[in-house]
C-alpha cells in the first residue's frame, strides 16, 4: 500500500476506518462490491484484481447484456444486490437514470478527472473510457480523402461497398442519436437511407465481422468501433491476416463537431448497500493504473488526460472526439430506432 498512487488516498482511509474484524487470523466480514456489467472483456478481470489488491475489497461480478441488466435491476427493486452498474453505452446509462435505477454521486476526484461531457451532470453516471465510431476501409481500393465525413459514405460512389451491423445494436443507435442531436431528424434519416442504399450486404454480424469482410473483399468501408480495430491489429490468428493487412482507418467528422464517441461507463445503483466500496471502485477505474489497462488491454480511449492510448490505435492517427453531452444519446435513442425503421436499416 505504501507505493499506492496518491489518487487512492481517500480510499485507503476508508479501508482503515472499516478494517475487517479478525478472528483466528481470518476476516469475519469481507468487504465487497457487487457489480453488474455489460462489459465482456478478459482484461477487465485484471482491472478488478488490481482494485482488490489495492483496497482489499472483493468484486462480485455479474455479466449480462445491457437490457437484461436494466430489467433485472428494475425487477429486483430495493432488494437488488447491485452496487455498481457498468455498461458499454451512454444511452443505457441515461435510460437507467430515467428509470431511477441510479443514485447521484458527488465526488470531486471523479469530477476532476472525467470531462464534463462524458458524465451525467447530476452525478448518476460516469464515463470510464471512450470508443469512437469510425470508418475502416480497404487500403487496396479506397482513397481515404473521399471519406472525410459520415455523410461522405452516403454518396453514390460507395454503392454496394458499405459494411455495418444491424440497427438493433446500440452503437448504431447512439451514432444516429448524435446525428439527430446535431443536425436534426431529417438529416439523420437521410443519412440512414443513404447508408442503406450503399450496403454491400444485409446488415449482420458484429463489428469484427465487418472488418473480416473487408479482408474478404465483400465490401470496402465498414462502420465500426475503434477498439475492435485495435484488437484485430493485436490478434495473431493467421486467418485474420487478410483483414489486418487491408485495413486503414479514418476518423469521420460529424457536422464539424469531430468523430462520434460513446463511452463505457458506470453508475452507483439506487439501492447500493456497499456505497463506499462502489465509489472506491469508480475512483480506481479512473486511476492511471486502471485507465492504462483499459487502453492497453482493450484498446479503448482513456477518459483521463495524460494516459497514453494503445500503440495499435495511435498508428491510425488522432481522434478528435465530438464533445456532445452524451445524455443526448439517451434522449434521442427512441427516435433513432424509429428512423432506422423508416430507412429500412434492419
Ligand atoms: Fe462491443
Amino acid at each position: 500500500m505504501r507505493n499506492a498512487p496518491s489518487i487512492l488516498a481517500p480510499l485507503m482511509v476508508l479501508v482503515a476506518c472499516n478494517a475487517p474484524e479478525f478472528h483466528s487470523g481470518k476476516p469475519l466480514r469481507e468487504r465487497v462490491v457487487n457489480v453488474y456489467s455489460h462489459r465482456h472483456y478478459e482484461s477487465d478481470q485484471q482491472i478488478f484484481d488490481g482494485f482488490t489488491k489495492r483496497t482489499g475489497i472483493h468484486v462480485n461480478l455479474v455479466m449480462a447484456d445491457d437490457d437484461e441488466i436494466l430489467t433485472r435491476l428494475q425487477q429486483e427493486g430495493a432488494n437488488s444486490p447491485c452496487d455498481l452498474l457498468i455498461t458499454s453505452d451512454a444511452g443505457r446509462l441515461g435510460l437507467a437514470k430515467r428509470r431511477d435505477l441510479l443514485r447521484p454521486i458527488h465526488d470531486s476526484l471523479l469530477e476532476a478527472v472525467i470531462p464534463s461531457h462524458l458524465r451525467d451532470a447530476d452525478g448518476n453516471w460516469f464515463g470510464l473510457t471512450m470508443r469512437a465510431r469510425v470508418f475502416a476501409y480497404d487500403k487496396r481500393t479506397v482513397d481515404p480523402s473521399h471519406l472525410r465525413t459520415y455523410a461522405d459514405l452516403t454518396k453514390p460512389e460507395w454503392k454496394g461497398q458499405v459494411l455495418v451491423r444491424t440497427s438493433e445494436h446500440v452503437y448504431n443507435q447512439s451514432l444516429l442519436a448524435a446525428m439527430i442531436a446535431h443536425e436534426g431528424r431529417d438529416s439523420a434519416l437521410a443519412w440512414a437511407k443513404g447508408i442503406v442504399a450503399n450496403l454491400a450486404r444485409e446488415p449482420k454480424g458484429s463489428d469484427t465481422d465487418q472488418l473480416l469482410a473487408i479482408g474478404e473483399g465483400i465490401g470496402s468501408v465498414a462502420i465500426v468501433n475503434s477498439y475492435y480495430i485495435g484488437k484485430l491489429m493485436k490478434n495473431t490468428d493467421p486467418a485474420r491476416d487478410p483483414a489486418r493487412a487491408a485495413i486503414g482507418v479514418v476518423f469521420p467528422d460529424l457536422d464539424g463537431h469531430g468523430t462520434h464517441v460513446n463511452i463505457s461507463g458506470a453508475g452507483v445503483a439506487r439501492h447500493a448497500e456497499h456505497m463506499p466500496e462502489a465509489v472506491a471502485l469508480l475512483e480506481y477505474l479512473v486511476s492511471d493504473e486502471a485507465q492504462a489497462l483499459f487502453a492497453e488491454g482493450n484498446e479503448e480511449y482513456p477518459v483521463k488526460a495524460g494516459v497514453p492510448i494503445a500503440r495499435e490505435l495511435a498508428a491510425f492517427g488522432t481522434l478528435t472526439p465530438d464533445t456532445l453531452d452524451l445524455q443526448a444519446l439517451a434522449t434521442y435513442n427512441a427516435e433513432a430506432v424509429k428512423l432506422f425503421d423508416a430507412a429500412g436499416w434492419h
Side-chain angles (χ1 to χ4, degrees):
M1 295 294 271
R2 210 177 42 211
N3 297 324
S6 59
I7 197 172
L8 294 177
L11 205 133
M12 286 189 287
V13 171
L14 281 172
V15 173
C17 293
N18 294 308
E21 306 148 56
F22 283 80
H23 179 72
S24 308
K26 285 187 178 165
L28 291 178
R29 194 165 46 83
E30 194 184 20
R31 292 188 74 203
V32 299
V33 56
N34 297 322
V35 175
Y36 285 9
S37 177
H38 176 234
R39 291 173 57 90
H40 47 87
Y41 320 115
E42 281 168 27
S43 49
D44 280 18
Q45 194 51 54
Q46 219 183 324
I47 294 173
F48 292 136
D49 289 347
F51 172 68
T52 303
K53 206 171 136 195
R54 294 264 178 227
T55 63
I57 301 170
H58 183 74
V59 178
N60 292 320
L61 184 62
V62 172
M63 287 197 294
D65 172 76
D66 276 348
D67 286 324
E68 281 170 35
I69 288 179
L70 291 193
T71 306
R72 184 165 168 173
L73 258 180
Q74 206 152 15
Q75 284 170 350
E76 290 170 344
N79 296 321
S80 177
C82 179
D83 297 310
L84 190 72
L85 170 71
I86 302 180
T87 82
S88 51
D89 162 63
R92 293 253 165 61
L93 287 167
L95 204 59
K97 177 189 176 184
R98 270 203 225 164
R99 293 183 190 169
D100 202 26
L101 299 172
L102 300 176
R103 181 193 297 208
I105 297 295
H106 298 288
D107 183 282
S108 53
L109 188 149
L110 295 174
E111 287 162 14
V113 170
I114 307 169
S116 59
H117 68 279
L118 300 176
R119 55 182 162 83
D120 175 45
D122 303 320
N124 285 268
W125 52 262
F126 300 88
L128 305 171
T129 69
M130 286 187 291
R131 325 46 203 285
R133 201 126 183 92
V134 301
F135 295 158
Y137 66 89
D138 190 336
K139 289 192 287 194
R140 299 167 294 192
T141 57
V142 168
D143 174 357
S145 70
H146 290 211
L147 289 171
R148 296 275 184 232
T149 69
Y150 289 95
D152 280 346
L153 200 53
T154 63
K155 290 179 180 167
E157 68 179 289
W158 303 109
K159 198 163 182 58
Q161 296 304 315
V162 178
L163 296 155
V164 67
R165 72 198 307 172
T166 71
S167 65
E168 274 169 32
H169 202 279
V170 75
Y171 297 156
N172 285 334
Q173 292 170 9
S174 290
L175 171 59
L176 201 61
M179 287 184 186
I180 297 169
H182 282 309
E183 305 179 310
R185 184 189 176 282
D186 291 350
S187 181
L189 177 60
W191 183 80
K193 282 182 175 170
I195 294 298
V196 170
N198 285 345
L199 287 174
R201 63 176 183 191
E202 279 290 293
K204 63 173 181 180
S206 65
D207 279 4
T208 300
D209 291 329
Q210 316 313 317
L211 297 172
L212 298 178
I214 288 182
E216 293 166 38
I218 294 169
S220 63
V221 187
I223 306 171
V224 293
N225 271 7
S226 48
Y227 70 98
Y228 293 106
I229 303 172
K231 286 168 107 167
L232 175 73
M233 292 302 159
K234 231 169 34 180
N235 191 298
T236 52
D237 178 0
R240 299 186 171 195
D241 281 346
R244 249 193 311 277
I247 282 168
V249 177
V250 287
F251 295 87
D253 177 71
L254 176 53
D255 198 31
H257 298 279
T259 299
H260 168 67
V261 291
N262 204 332
I263 52 158
S264 187
V268 175
R270 166 64 62 194
H271 301 289
E273 198 187 318
H274 308 100
M275 182 138 128
E277 289 82 0
V279 174
L281 180 52
L282 271 176
E283 290 187 350
Y284 176 75
L285 293 174
V286 298
S287 67
D288 285 346
E289 180 175 284
Q291 288 284 296
L293 285 168
F294 280 128
E296 285 155 27
N298 204 45
E299 303 281 328
E300 294 172 83
Y301 288 96
V303 292
K304 185 172 192 183
V307 177
I309 63 172
R311 195 161 31 94
E312 294 78 16
L313 284 186
F316 290 118
T318 308
L319 167 69
T320 305
D322 181 5
T323 56
L324 174 72
D325 183 338
L326 293 186
Q327 193 64 44
L329 305 189
T331 307
Y332 295 111
N333 179 271
E335 184 72 23
V337 172
K338 269 192 231 160
L339 294 190
F340 275 133
D341 210 39
W345 180 335
H346 303 297

